Amino acid sequence: MSSPASAPGPGSGSAPCRFAHYFVLCGIDADSGLEPDELAVLYQWLEADRHGKSSDTANRTSGENFDQSPLRRTFKSKVLAHYPQNIEWNPFDQDAVNMLCMPKGLSFRTQTDNRDPQFHSYIITREDGSRTYGFVLTFYEEVTSKQICTAMQTLYQMHNAEQCNSVCASSSCSMDSLASSLDEGDSTSLAKMQRYNSYDINRDTLYVSKCICLIAPLPFMQACKKFLIQLYKAVTSQQPPPLPLESYIHNILYEVPLPPPGRSLKFYGVYEPIVCQRPGPNELPLFDYALREAFELLGLENLIQVFTCVLLEMQILLYSQDYQRLMTVAEGITTLLFPFQWQHVYVPILPASLLHFLDAPVPYLMGLQSKEGTDRSKLELPQEANLCFVDIDNHFIELPEELPQFPNKLDFIQEISEVLLQFGIPFEGTFHCSESASKLKNLVLNDLTNDKKNGNISNNTINMYELLKGNETIARLHALAKRTGVAVDKMSITTPLAERERDVKLQCEDGELRDYKMNVQLREVFANRFTQMFADYEAFVIQAAQDRESWLTNREQMQNFDKASFLSDQPEPYLPFLSHFIETQMFATFIDNKIMSQWEEKDPFLRVFDSRIEKIRLYNVRAPTLRTSIYQKCNTLKEAAQAIENRLSKIDHTAIHPHLLDMKIGQGKYEQGFFPKLQSDVLAAGPTNNNRWVSRSATAQRRKDRIRQHSEHISLDNDLREKYMQEARTLGKNLRQPKLSDLSPAVIAQTNWKFVEGLLKECRMKTKRMLVEKMGHEAVELGHGEANITGLEENTLIASLCDLLERIWSHGLQVKQGKSALWSHLIQYQEREEKQEQLAESPIAAGPERRKSDTGVMLPTLRVSLISDMRHIQNMSEIKTDVGRARAWIRLSLEKKLLSQHLKQLLSNQALAKKLYKRYAFLRCEEEREQFLYHLLSLNAVNYFCFTSVFTTIMIPYRTVIIPIKKLSNAITTSNPWICVSGELGDTGIMQIPKNLLEMTFEVSMWKVAGERY
């Protein structure tokens, strides 16, 4: 049943099967005039708070910053119109759409500036993980409102006066100084100053940005882009379009259906037909962005490294001036994850007002627009210990430390390179900062030479008539040739790939078809790697629960995958990567979906993946056995590309043509260069007649709804089931996307509170897992049970704990200092404590507190403390970075069973904590902090050698002190004392202590004294 706000009529009711859900127009509201962007003001306030500045300075004059040129300021944009008004199953979020359509707000230009239209796309991720896609074309329209032009002129006068005053106050009225005060990053020349400071209402023409947008349920990016560009051409053309623009917009909203799976569809823009295709049920999911662009922007090896970081759920920050580049790389990387899916925060375009979301202590994949003239050094990020920074424009990446390599990386890159070369992508252009580039290049070129095809020429004979028989003219010519005795059935193709696609050119441009085929072949290569690596995953899935309800209620306590057995079955080179990957949320969700498939319809990704594994088993006839690390190439490339070519060479469905609507005469009059005011009444609802697409899809949807509702009520109360399902689905997951419609301080505080709760829950689960697994391992050593944890898996769990502690210490930082927030905190604590120690060691302070032996000899202080462990780490020359030092300190403290005690001692300095952290930070939430320390304390119940096993070559200094008593004071001169330090892995042997020596220092190799005994 539709809500009152929903658009009436059958057009609204059939929204799930429609190609587009909304058409949106954003721009300036002439009635409101120039308004400073409230979100920009909030951003300035947040930035001032991040840097400890006064918010009054950032917020002065209601956000109007006179130091910045008016043409560079941010002004408030508005959703001017959207059709239809609302759809029940995809409610229109006006604030979010406005923010993502125009992330920088309104932009002004003059006739001397570049005003080329710009296309970008965006994505809105809901809390349940479902997505809606937006496609935007931004162009510039002349400002006709004298009120706005006058306001801009006034702003320039105020700006010039402010600049002159500030320059004169600094005793420098030169033009260079004036230019330097205009805007940071734009002070390199006098020409720039004149460009941004030259608006004159009597001389210049003022233009303002406006955008048109399609919101769709599926990412048909190419088709939407073509439609929007044709609309723009119709507006700027000297001749009016064949039909009013309402006809084309009404057509795509209500009369163009989604193509059925495995089919192609043709619909009509203003001037040309537009073709799109949708993969079949057993093919890889729809992806319409050009992977070619992602590989060209990042380089092949860089992309594989970023791909590895995404698989291991690190924090990924994309950085570019171009919004569409951010989307292309983000969507490209995530589509290559198949059959896995990113489970955490996903914001490919992060609006400036949400920059504080980079403080999130969770895995994320975000895209941040870079400002012109700024570089990496000027970007202050709250945490970098687990960050992968991707500078798209400069083809540069920064990787986290200790990143394991993707299995068979060199062979993998070689196979991808072969695909790229077949489609004419220069091999040299796919590498940046690669040590293996030259070696790999030779391997690929040798392979391409040996196949005698040069990588892009096939020697197969084909039936030409079969390719061209769909063309009636060619069919007649073929019949005539056959009668005259000329054979054209078989011929040898020795022309490049483009020639083989000539017959498809009528339906799809060559470049677009090549991108489609390259996309699917590259994705097949990636999917094949996971199919080979996880071909036997089902054998290790633990399905202990007999029914769905018991599994849902006990989900958190159950182990669903036999990780230790799985790892023991893998080739040795795979283990560093796989041991980390099977601990991720995306892998856990994948296994959960597998278990849930017993009781409900399979997840689409899982269904396709399982069918591929089944095909491998049929071909290879192999049962789960010990795996081999021999690289196996993908053998489905040709088949996948052919499926797309077949769909695009013969269109399956054609949508209804745009047609005249029942419109009011005289409205929406065409005026070149101006987007007309659309007639709302004809766009508010779909056609009154029932067309075949609507009827068919609506019937199918109603049938599917009835089946789903029936299954929900079979054996479980609906409310109870919903509760269990929600808990199971959200277990371990975090906020997918920040809420864009409400950015008040209260909402920001609520979001941070969710982060605090999530961190505490993650700590509880990690420590519980470490404790249970370790205790099980120790039981095996005593002869009870079977081993369920390996040394590799234990090391992975500890590395995961190190990562969690870094994220906790990064949450709510006042000012970032160094890449490791934990080590920075420790260093500042050390400096304060050492100052106090210096005071305590003075004769006045130290005298009464020093211990004495029975003989009156002053004894040296033997203190085991947080500071002493820090000094051990600082003296280790093998560790070069702050992140490495922090992790080594965590491992040492854990091995000594002092981690909880040390962290409690560190946090006891409340003055330092208040200086370093904001009020909402995890470390300043007292109750959660105490629970966190309690969970860490539980790890003292087991023995870890996590420091000893990693730093085996470290020399540990020891100091022995002999304390004689009065009764045996003379014996020290005649006895032969000795000492031996022993541990789990060895001992030092007997070391003699020289006679008459009460104190001796010596060094011992770390590996010998693990679990030391004297």
Side-chain angles (χ1 to χ4, degrees), residues 598-615:
Q598 300 175 89
W599 307 297
E600 61 182 32
E601 186 179 355
K602 265 190 181 182
D603 175 79
F605 281 40
L606 180 64
R607 186 187 67 247
V608 176
F609 187 67
D610 282 351
S611 68
R612 289 169 175 244
I613 291 177
E614 194 64 32
K615 187 180 294 185

Side-chain angles (χ1 to χ4, degrees), residues 435-691:
E435 296 180 359
S436 56
S438 58
K439 178 181 177 183
L440 189 55
K441 178 180 177 181
N442 293 331
L443 285 172
V444 175
L445 293 180
N446 288 339
D447 282 357
L448 294 177
T449 302
N450 292 336
D451 69 5
K452 297 183 174 58
K453 302 177 191 176
N454 294 325
N456 60 0
I457 298 176
S458 171
N459 56 7
N460 296 331
T461 58
I462 64 169
N463 191 319
M464 179 57 71
Y465 177 63
E466 287 298 320
L467 287 178
L468 302 178
K469 65 182 180 180
N471 187 301
E472 293 181 5
T473 304
I474 296 296
R476 292 195 204 100
L477 289 173
H478 172 71
L480 179 62
K482 203 169 184 180
R483 285 197 298 272
T484 59
V486 178
V488 293
D489 287 342
K490 302 278 185 181
M491 67 175 292
S492 176
I493 288 190
T494 56
T495 52
L497 185 64
E499 292 296 322
R500 300 206 303 271
E501 297 162 0
R502 183 173 292 168
D503 59 309
V504 187
K505 190 173 181 179
L506 296 174
Q507 308 295 346
C508 181
E509 295 178 2
D510 284 349
E512 188 176 345
L513 176 61
R514 289 165 66 82
D515 278 349
Y516 277 134
K517 296 173 74 172
M518 188 191 309
N519 272 4
V520 74
Q521 292 199 1
L522 288 170
R523 295 172 68 200
E524 286 287 343
V525 172
F526 278 80
N528 178 62
R529 291 310 310 132
F530 290 120
T531 306
Q532 299 292 341
M533 290 163 61
F534 294 96
D536 299 326
Y537 85 96
E538 289 183 75
F540 304 98
V541 176
I542 302 172
Q543 299 181 343
Q546 299 299 317
D547 58 89
R548 174 173 53 187
E549 288 71 37
S550 61
W551 183 82
L552 290 170
T553 53
N554 298 296
R555 167 66 188 88
E556 188 174 342
Q557 289 77 32
M558 297 178 68
Q559 185 176 353
N560 296 329
F561 192 74
D562 188 352
K563 298 177 181 178
S565 298
F566 174 78
L567 291 175
S568 66
D569 193 40
Q570 303 306 309
E572 187 71 25
Y574 289 16
L575 296 181
F577 171 81
L578 287 177
S579 61
H580 286 79
F581 178 68
I582 62 176
E583 298 293 335
T584 61
Q585 184 61 43
M586 73 173 73
F587 184 78
T589 302
F590 175 77
I591 298 300
D592 286 352
N593 288 338
K594 180 63 179 178
I595 294 174
M596 288 295 292
S597 67
Q598 300 175 89
W599 307 297
E600 61 182 32
E601 186 179 355
K602 265 190 181 182
D603 175 79
F605 281 40
L606 180 64
R607 186 187 67 247
V608 176
F609 187 67
D610 282 351
S611 68
R612 289 169 175 244
I613 291 177
E614 194 64 32
K615 187 180 294 185
I616 287 180
R617 288 176 178 167
L618 289 174
Y619 288 156
N620 297 345
V621 195
R622 58 181 289 277
T625 56
L626 188 65
R627 302 299 310 279
T628 172
S629 59
I630 298 175
Y631 190 85
Q632 300 179 43
K633 287 188 176 182
C634 180
N635 57 12
T636 59
L637 299 184
K638 184 177 179 181
E639 176 187 342
Q642 191 64 48
I644 290 181
E645 188 170 334
N646 291 342
R647 278 197 292 271
L648 292 175
S649 61
K650 185 179 179 181
I651 302 303
D652 297 304
H653 304 289
T654 301
I656 299 172
H657 284 252
H659 51 85
L660 281 172
L661 304 173
D662 185 13
M663 297 174 58
K664 297 177 183 178
I665 300 175
Q667 291 190 10
K669 184 178 178 181
Y670 175 77
E671 186 176 357
Q672 183 183 0
F674 294 91
F675 199 89
K677 184 176 181 180
L678 303 173
Q679 292 192 28
S680 301
D681 52 342
V682 298
L683 295 177
T688 55
N689 62 309
N690 293 325
N691 68 66

Side-chain angles (χ1 to χ4, degrees), residues 370-493:
S370 59
K371 296 180 180 179
E372 185 180 358
T374 61
D375 56 24
R376 170 70 176 90
S377 61
K378 295 181 180 178
L379 183 64
E380 292 189 8
L381 301 172
Q383 51 186 324
E384 298 184 36
N386 201 39
L387 178 72
C388 174
F389 180 80
V390 184
D391 189 341
I392 297 174
D393 298 337
N394 295 312
H395 318 292
F396 171 75
I397 63 173
E398 290 180 9
L399 297 172
E401 296 181 20
E402 301 177 7
L403 179 69
Q405 293 295 316
F406 191 78
N408 297 114
K409 179 183 171 184
L410 192 62
D411 294 321
F412 188 39
I413 291 178
Q414 178 182 346
E415 185 179 10
I416 297 169
S417 300
E418 292 173 3
V419 175
L420 293 172
L421 279 170
Q422 287 182 12
F423 288 91
I425 303 298
F427 188 78
E428 292 82 358
T430 60
F431 281 90
H432 303 284
C433 308
S434 168
E435 296 180 359
S436 56
S438 58
K439 178 181 177 183
L440 189 55
K441 178 180 177 181
N442 293 331
L443 285 172
V444 175
L445 293 180
N446 288 339
D447 282 357
L448 294 177
T449 302
N450 292 336
D451 69 5
K452 297 183 174 58
K453 302 177 191 176
N454 294 325
N456 60 0
I457 298 176
S458 171
N459 56 7
N460 296 331
T461 58
I462 64 169
N463 191 319
M464 179 57 71
Y465 177 63
E466 287 298 320
L467 287 178
L468 302 178
K469 65 182 180 180
N471 187 301
E472 293 181 5
T473 304
I474 296 296
R476 292 195 204 100
L477 289 173
H478 172 71
L480 179 62
K482 203 169 184 180
R483 285 197 298 272
T484 59
V486 178
V488 293
D489 287 342
K490 302 278 185 181
M491 67 175 292
S492 176
I493 288 190

Side-chain angles (χ1 to χ4, degrees), residues 806 809 820-834 837 863-879 881-894 896 898-899 901-903 905-907 909 912 916 947 951 954-957:
E806 280 289 2
W809 255 259
S820 171
L822 174 58
W823 190 251
S824 175
H825 193 168
L826 286 167
I827 289 295
Q828 295 194 49
Y829 177 84
Q830 181 186 29
E831 291 173 353
R832 293 193 175 203
E833 289 295 305
E834 286 177 344
E837 283 184 7
R863 246 182 106 191
V864 178
S865 68
L866 180 159
I867 301 297
S868 62
D869 286 345
M870 280 189 66
R871 288 172 181 157
H872 281 311
I873 302 301
Q874 289 168 326
N875 291 331
M876 293 168 62
S877 59
E878 293 86 350
I879 306 176
T881 65
D882 287 350
V883 174
R885 294 184 186 97
R887 296 193 173 202
W889 180 85
I890 293 170
R891 288 175 176 273
L892 179 60
S893 301
L894 185 60
K896 296 174 69 173
L898 293 172
L899 181 59
Q901 179 182 327
H902 279 353
L903 293 178
Q905 183 181 345
L906 176 66
L907 296 172
N909 192 327
L912 180 59
L916 296 177
F947 184 82
F951 302 101
I954 301 301
M955 302 298 291
I956 297 296

Side-chain angles (χ1 to χ4, degrees), residues 25 193 209 220 236 375 474 546 592 702 733 738 788 866:
L25 186 67
M193 184 215 72
S209 58
F220 289 105
T236 57
D375 56 24
I474 296 296
Q546 299 299 317
D592 286 352
R702 285 195 297 270
K733 296 183 181 179
N788 62 348
L866 180 159

